[in-house]
Amino acid sequence: MKNICVFASGFGSNFQAIIDACKKKKIKKGHVTLLITDNKNAYARQRARKAGIDQIYCNPKDFPSKKDWEKHLGSILKKHRIDLVVLAGFMRILSPYFVRQFKDKTINIHPALLPAFPGAHAIKDAFDYGVKVTGVTVHFIDEKVDHGPIILQESLEVKKTDSLKTLEKKIHKVEHRLYPKAINILLSGKYRIRNSRKVSL
Ligand code: GRF
């Protein structure tokens, strides 16, 4: 079994979806063994407690520099023998220093069809722009923000009747299905990254 570490800063609904998918064997070759959070009050922490998953609160403000914080994260991941790092609503940007060490082992989920609408308000940005189609992207991280080889994407239609709220609901529903699916593919080893750019499945 491979060890998954989830990084989350808030509500943690994707974290929960991954825990549930492991339980239901939708993720066949892995289990979540660790939660890392930068937010003391993240609801994700309660989810970890309930699921009996180890958790570590680790705030960059408690370290002399971002590099020291990331070094510390790296040592935690090594100590816990983590095979895959899953960013799920983690609201910090990881620097190239961290990315270099865990590049092909760290994935992120973004609530839009990258490269459209990167950033922290993707659903609202897409909705306000008036797009007719948006979606969800799961990708490996690289040195740029919301960027890196795309593993899976799923689109969904923005209906005339949609409000920002209904769209958010639909996006999250897709996320909770797509993230476990991507993790299952990665842990099965059925993929290849070509030229650090494209993922073949
Ligand atoms: C999700 O929409 C994810 O795509 C984005 O942050 C949100 C996290 O939600 N990166 P949750 O904490 O998993 O509920």
Side-chain angles (χ1 to χ4, degrees):
M1 282 300 243
K2 305 262 188 201
N3 296 331
I4 302 167
C5 174
V6 175
F7 282 33
S9 301
F11 188 53
S13 67
N14 281 283
F15 174 45
Q16 188 68 54
I18 295 163
I19 296 171
D20 295 345
C22 290
K23 259 195 209 147
K24 289 183 191 150
K25 301 281 174 226
K26 286 187 178 164
I27 295 173
K28 294 185 187 73
K29 295 189 174 168
H31 52 177
V32 184
T33 52
L34 185 63
L35 168 75
I36 290 183
T37 181
D38 59 331
N39 175 9
K40 226 185 204 160
N41 302 317
Y43 185 66
R45 301 187 74 186
Q46 290 193 40
R47 298 184 190 273
R49 230 166 276 137
K50 201 167 168 208
I53 293 168
D54 283 348
Q55 56 171 295
I56 293 174
Y57 162 63
C58 190
N59 190 327
K61 286 184 188 142
D62 299 332
F63 291 80
S65 71
K66 187 164 184 177
K67 194 167 178 182
D68 288 309
W69 172 64
E70 290 183 339
K71 258 189 196 163
H72 186 65
L73 292 180
S75 65
I76 293 172
L77 296 175
K78 284 194 183 112
K79 190 173 150 213
H80 286 256
R81 299 177 188 283
I82 297 301
D83 300 292
L84 183 68
V85 176
V86 174
L87 307 182
F90 190 61
M91 300 310 284
R92 306 257 173 195
I93 293 168
L94 295 163
S95 79
Y97 170 75
F98 180 93
V99 174
R100 269 196 299 277
Q101 294 177 69
F102 295 97
K103 195 171 182 170
D104 298 338
K105 285 185 175 178
T106 306
I107 60 175
N108 183 41
I109 191 159
H110 186 73
L113 293 175
L114 290 174
F117 305 108
H121 310 288
I123 305 177
K124 184 173 188 309
D125 292 346
F127 183 77
D128 289 348
Y129 193 96
V131 297
K132 306 289 186 215
V133 172
T134 183
V136 174
T137 304
V138 180
H139 64 98
F140 284 104
I141 64 163
D142 70 7
E143 285 80 0
K144 296 184 195 160
V145 178
D146 293 331
H147 193 270
I150 290 172
I151 303 158
L152 288 179
Q153 279 186 312
E154 191 171 309
S155 62
L156 64 88
E157 204 185 320
V158 184
K159 300 249 168 72
K160 259 194 215 157
T161 49
D162 270 322
S163 62
L164 177 58
K165 250 215 158 88
T166 62
L167 182 61
E168 278 170 350
K169 243 189 169 166
K170 285 184 195 171
I171 293 267
H172 293 316
K173 203 168 166 202
V174 173
E175 288 188 324
H176 300 160
R177 189 164 32 75
L178 203 67
Y179 220 0
K181 187 176 171 188
I183 293 168
N184 190 49
I185 291 171
L186 297 184
L187 296 186
S188 314
K190 291 181 185 147
Y191 71 99
R192 207 158 51 89
I193 305 176
R194 290 190 289 152
N195 307 327
S196 303
R197 235 166 47 83
K198 288 188 182 170
V199 180
S200 318
L201 301 178

